[in-house]
Amino acid sequence: MFSSHDGLCTIGELAEHLGVSVKTVRFYSDRGLLPEASRSAGGHRRYGPDAVERLGLIRSLRGLDLSVPEVRRILDEQDAQDGREGAGAGGALEDAVAGRLRGLGSELAALRWREAALRLVQECPPAERPDRLRLVGAVAAPPSTTSLARFWRSWLPPRMPARSVTAFLEAAVPPPPDDPLPAQVLAFARLHAFVTRPCGGGAGAGSCQPRAHGVTEARASAVLYAGLAEAYDLAGAELRRGAEPSPGEALDGFVDAYASTYSARDTPAFRRVLAGRLADDPRIDRYWELTAEVISAPGGPPEPTPGTAHDWLLAALEAQLGMAADHGGARRGTVGGAPVSVAPA
């Protein structure tokens, strides 16, 4: 290729040798990625032997869909390391490849979500398609959990410590499946619709918050939700093995979370008032039903959620006290003429 007396080649010879167009070589030269060795008397570009390897590297990097600025950083780093031990193994290439892999992951997730959404619309009865289109059209691909987190942030006590809020959100906000089925897309879309409208006809998410959770002090809310998280984990294990609601470590931890929060003793009277107070509170069972549909393996048993764990624990408490599961409990009880309060009225 380098047949001239000075060992250089023309832009056309370089392009032909590597099987690219002259326009491509000129593009990279004009952007400083492929420096020319010199110019001929007529002003034509001339390239040295190292241009072959450099242009080959540029083509390889571009073949990985790396951007021109990323290629420039990789080449600049290589030039700076030229002649040193370990040249070519710098961080610019690693960073660019890692970034592209992250981007591809997001693109693939979006494609899988769109495919499942299309199948959802395709497979549903024609009469249901307008509603399905409205639901899935309101959710981005890949979907974001921002609306779910916003719902819970307005539901939780206002001065709850950030660490406690984060821990609760990790348990309460379901991550979208990586490879969803149409039914999971529908469940997530319905979940998004649920949290973006007023809860139970009230003024917002706060109307769904149990009154027994209405603590205002930061420390008290942290104690309550940390204790409930432990109790829910224990109850979740019971749910996975199909156990019926019953007294035990999970229930004791559940009651203790409320007793510690409100500086009360765990007594039969306290448990009875707590059961009545929780049973009489607004619920968001639909949220937890949809969450279970999103996170559960297709065809398998539903995964426990904080909501189903709460129901299991409340049923265990009612069973222990001999209370009917569908009763409406009083907000306050009395023991020996003294009022017992679970939370401020």
Side-chain angles (χ1 to χ4, degrees), residues 121-273:
V121 174
Q122 182 185 51
E123 295 169 2
C124 75
E128 297 179 12
R129 283 177 183 163
D131 182 60
R132 297 288 171 87
L133 285 170
R134 177 184 57 80
L135 284 169
V136 300
V139 179
S144 168
T145 57
T146 300
S147 62
L148 309 185
R150 185 184 302 117
F151 171 83
W152 286 114
R153 287 183 186 279
S154 67
W155 188 92
L156 293 168
R159 286 188 288 275
M160 188 169 171
R163 181 180 300 178
S164 299
V165 171
T166 299
F168 181 87
L169 292 179
E170 289 177 354
V173 176
D178 291 330
D179 192 6
L181 292 175
Q184 290 173 305
V185 169
L186 179 59
F188 193 92
R190 285 173 169 165
L191 202 54
H192 173 79
F194 177 88
V195 300
T196 52
R197 66 172 180 261
C199 179
S207 63
C208 285
Q209 186 182 37
R211 294 186 186 90
H213 290 203
V215 291
T216 57
E217 296 180 5
R219 181 185 176 280
S221 62
V223 169
L224 174 61
Y225 283 91
L228 290 179
E230 293 180 8
Y232 291 162
D233 284 343
L234 293 171
E238 298 296 319
L239 282 163
R240 287 189 180 91
R241 68 184 187 87
E244 291 294 322
S246 59
E249 183 183 2
L251 178 58
D252 290 344
F254 180 67
V255 174
D256 183 66
Y258 288 102
S260 298
T261 299
Y262 296 107
S263 301
R265 289 191 307 114
D266 180 2
T267 64
F270 177 83
R271 291 193 174 211
R272 185 169 295 278
V273 174

Side-chain angles (χ1 to χ4, degrees), residues 60-175:
S60 297
L61 295 172
R62 292 290 285 155
L64 294 174
D65 204 24
L66 301 185
S67 67
V68 170
E70 288 172 325
V71 172
R72 183 190 306 280
R73 284 192 290 271
I74 294 168
L75 293 175
D76 287 346
E77 184 176 73
Q78 185 182 63
D79 291 342
Q81 294 177 339
D82 195 22
R84 301 179 189 174
E85 185 178 352
L93 176 58
E94 293 181 4
D95 291 345
V97 170
R100 190 67 195 107
L101 284 172
R102 287 192 298 271
L104 279 175
S106 296
E107 292 169 21
L108 289 172
L111 288 173
R112 287 192 290 264
W113 188 269
R114 289 194 182 103
E115 180 185 19
L118 287 169
R119 293 192 184 281
L120 173 66
V121 174
Q122 182 185 51
E123 295 169 2
C124 75
E128 297 179 12
R129 283 177 183 163
D131 182 60
R132 297 288 171 87
L133 285 170
R134 177 184 57 80
L135 284 169
V136 300
V139 179
S144 168
T145 57
T146 300
S147 62
L148 309 185
R150 185 184 302 117
F151 171 83
W152 286 114
R153 287 183 186 279
S154 67
W155 188 92
L156 293 168
R159 286 188 288 275
M160 188 169 171
R163 181 180 300 178
S164 299
V165 171
T166 299
F168 181 87
L169 292 179
E170 289 177 354
V173 176

Side-chain angles (χ1 to χ4, degrees), residues 36-59:
E36 56 202 51
S38 66
R39 293 263 179 163
S40 68
H44 299 294
R45 305 171 198 244
R46 308 276 285 172
Y47 296 91
D50 59 340
V52 176
E53 181 179 352
R54 190 175 183 89
L55 183 54
L57 175 59
I58 292 171
R59 291 185 65 200

